[in-house]
């Protein structure tokens, strides 16, 4: 997958938008309910050298399992390594979508109820 493909999936999440608080080289994807100033990050897309990296929030237990099973998934670069993964190219599209959706869900779940309702969020749905 390339930058634009990942970017499009990130921006397809309800209420998601792109911001550049760290400069033009790092696209931060945030979600907000009713108040954009209280938005929270669920993705960070950047190049490290020639490698495209996407930082995504992840449940700590699942993060360990994903890292063990996929060499493209490592502890989050410049992030809390317990709660964030860095993903590089080479994963199936379906898995990438699941990882992005999981990150989004974890962040939206932490928003106030009225913000979750404004997004039309129904809660974390199990995959399987």
């Amino acid at each position: 997958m390339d930058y634009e493909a990942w970017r499009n999936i990130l921006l397809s999440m309800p209420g998601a938008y792109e911001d550049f608080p760290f400069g033009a080289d790092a696209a931060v994807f945030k979600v907000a309910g009713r108040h954009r100033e209280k938005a929270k990050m669920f993705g960070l897309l950047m190049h490290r050298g020639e490698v495209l990296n996407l930082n995504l929030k992840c449940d700590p237990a699942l993060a360990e399992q994903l890292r063990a099973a996929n060499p493209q998934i490592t502890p989050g670069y410049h992030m809390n390594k317990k709660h964030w993964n860095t993903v590089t190219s080479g994963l199936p599209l379906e898995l990438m979508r699941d990882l992005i959706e999981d990150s989004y869900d974890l962040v939206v779940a932490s928003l106030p109820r009225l913000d979750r309702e404004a997004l039309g969020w129904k809660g974390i749905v199990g995959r399987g």
Side-chain angles (χ1 to χ4, degrees):
M1 292 193 66
D2 65 4
Y3 185 95
E4 284 303 316
W6 283 359
R7 180 178 179 269
N8 289 335
I9 296 170
L10 290 154
L11 288 174
S12 73
M13 300 292 111
Y17 69 96
E18 185 176 30
D19 194 11
F20 295 89
F22 307 123
D25 295 337
V28 175
F29 295 85
K30 298 179 179 180
V31 61
R34 301 164 300 140
H35 307 288
R36 204 168 214 197
E37 68 275 4
K38 294 182 181 180
K40 293 189 175 189
M41 179 174 75
F42 71 95
L44 173 62
L45 187 58
M46 66 192 155
H47 281 93
R48 286 179 47 213
E50 299 295 318
V51 179
L52 182 61
N53 285 254
L54 176 58
N55 285 359
L56 296 168
K57 193 159 190 159
C58 191
D59 174 82
L62 180 58
E64 291 295 325
Q65 293 172 10
L66 289 167
R67 293 172 193 166
N70 301 283
Q72 302 91 338
I73 302 175
T74 58
Y77 177 72
H78 279 300
M79 305 293 274
N80 179 324
K81 293 175 183 0
K82 181 177 179 181
H83 296 279
W84 289 84
N85 283 331
T86 295
V87 181
T88 58
S89 296
L91 294 174
L93 176 60
E94 183 73 22
L95 179 55
M96 278 307 304
R97 280 198 176 112
D98 286 349
L99 295 174
I100 291 169
E101 288 172 5
D102 287 349
S103 180
Y104 174 87
D105 282 344
L106 286 169
V107 171
V108 173
S110 72
L111 294 174
R113 179 184 54 83
L114 290 176
D115 290 334
R116 295 189 309 264
E117 289 174 357
L119 293 167
W121 189 73
K122 304 294 184 203
I124 297 173
V125 177
R127 298 190 194 343

